């Protein structure tokens, strides 16, 4: 993960061969090239030109039990809640000199662990929200009944192993659910592959 982060941001954060090398997130921003902005700047000649940028955040990997606090999981999950999209870097190469958290190279299992931990964290968030919304039902406002029904649909989907981004359900904006985030999977292969 950190090697990819360094390549994208042209920074030099540690990318060591041991688990949890990254504890605090590393952040790097890169500008998005836009020739339209350059042409506009040539015409109006502003003092400064500020284009769009993408901020990349290198967050430590999740391990089984992260939703219960294993491997600093709660801290890492909090960092994940702050980002707009996820890029899962998954190891698919074998090399006895490169440490694996699980002790073996099994990319599908690694993805399942990550997806499960994100879903479990979402279920905890949903259950807390359902308790609060249930108490608010006493006000008689229809919005709480509708929210409780939607939370129930979220819960049902997650219990069936369906990430919320695949459900088509509407998003509750003030509820930071991890499985609604768009995901890109990146296969970490050997140099020759």
């Amino acid at each position: 993960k950190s090697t990819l982060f360094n390549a994208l941001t042209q920074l030099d954060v540690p990318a060591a061969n041991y688990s949890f090398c990254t504890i605090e997130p590393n952040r790097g921003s890169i500008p998005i090239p836009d020739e339209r902005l350059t042409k506009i700047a040539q015409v109006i000649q502003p003092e400064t030109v500020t284009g769009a940028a993408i901020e990349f955040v290198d967050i430590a990997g999740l391990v089984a039990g992260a939703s219960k606090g294993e491997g600093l999981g709660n801290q890492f999950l909090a960092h994940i809640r702050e980002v707009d999209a996820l890029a899962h870097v998954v190891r698919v190469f074998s090399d006895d000199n490169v440490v694996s958290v699980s002790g073996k190279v099994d990319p599908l299992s690694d993805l399942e662990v990550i997806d499960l931990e994100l879903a479990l964290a979402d279920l905890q968030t949903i259950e807390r929200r359902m308790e609060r919304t249930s108490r608010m039902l006493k006000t008689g406002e229809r919005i709480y009944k509708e929210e409780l029904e939607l939370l129930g649909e979220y819960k049902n989907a997650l219990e069936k192993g369906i990430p919320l981004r695949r459900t088509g359900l509407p998003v509750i904006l003030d509820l930071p659910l991890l499985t609604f985030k768009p995901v890109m999977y990146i296969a970490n292969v050997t140099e020759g592959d």
Side-chain angles (χ1 to χ4, degrees), residues 58-75:
D58 179 21
I59 299 170
L62 294 178
V63 296
S67 60
K68 296 176 186 162
E70 295 290 324
L72 299 175
N74 292 330
Q75 179 181 338

Side-chain angles (χ1 to χ4, degrees), residues 139-189:
T139 66
E141 292 187 45
R142 179 183 170 147
I143 190 167
Y144 297 115
K145 182 178 186 279
E146 292 170 357
E147 181 175 297
L148 195 58
E149 289 171 2
L150 181 56
L151 290 166
E153 291 182 59
Y154 288 176
K155 186 176 178 184
N156 288 337
L158 290 171
E159 287 174 343
K160 291 177 184 173
I162 303 168
L164 296 176
R165 69 182 160 276
R166 293 190 189 149
T167 63
L169 293 169
V171 177
I172 298 174
L173 294 178
D174 68 335
L175 192 61
L177 297 173
L178 302 167
T179 61
F180 262 127
K181 295 180 182 295
V183 176
M184 175 188 339
Y185 297 100
I186 301 167
N188 185 0
V189 299

Side-chain angles (χ1 to χ4, degrees), residues 75-173:
Q75 179 181 338
F76 299 153
L77 289 166
H79 296 310
I80 294 170
R81 281 187 179 89
E82 296 174 2
V83 301
D84 295 324
L86 305 174
H88 290 298
V89 179
V90 183
R91 177 179 171 181
V92 296
F93 68 91
S94 294
D95 184 339
D96 293 337
N97 297 317
V98 180
V99 176
S100 173
V101 173
S102 64
K104 64 184 186 307
V105 177
D106 186 348
L108 292 178
S109 175
D110 292 344
L111 287 175
E112 287 172 359
V113 166
I114 292 168
D115 289 342
L116 176 63
E117 292 303 324
L118 296 178
L120 289 172
D122 277 356
L123 280 168
Q124 290 173 358
T125 301
I126 289 166
E127 287 169 0
R128 284 192 302 270
R129 182 65 169 256
M130 288 177 91
E131 289 173 15
R132 191 188 104 201
T133 304
S134 292
R135 288 191 305 271
M136 297 304 292
L137 273 175
K138 295 174 187 171
T139 66
E141 292 187 45
R142 179 183 170 147
I143 190 167
Y144 297 115
K145 182 178 186 279
E146 292 170 357
E147 181 175 297
L148 195 58
E149 289 171 2
L150 181 56
L151 290 166
E153 291 182 59
Y154 288 176
K155 186 176 178 184
N156 288 337
L158 290 171
E159 287 174 343
K160 291 177 184 173
I162 303 168
L164 296 176
R165 69 182 160 276
R166 293 190 189 149
T167 63
L169 293 169
V171 177
I172 298 174
L173 294 178

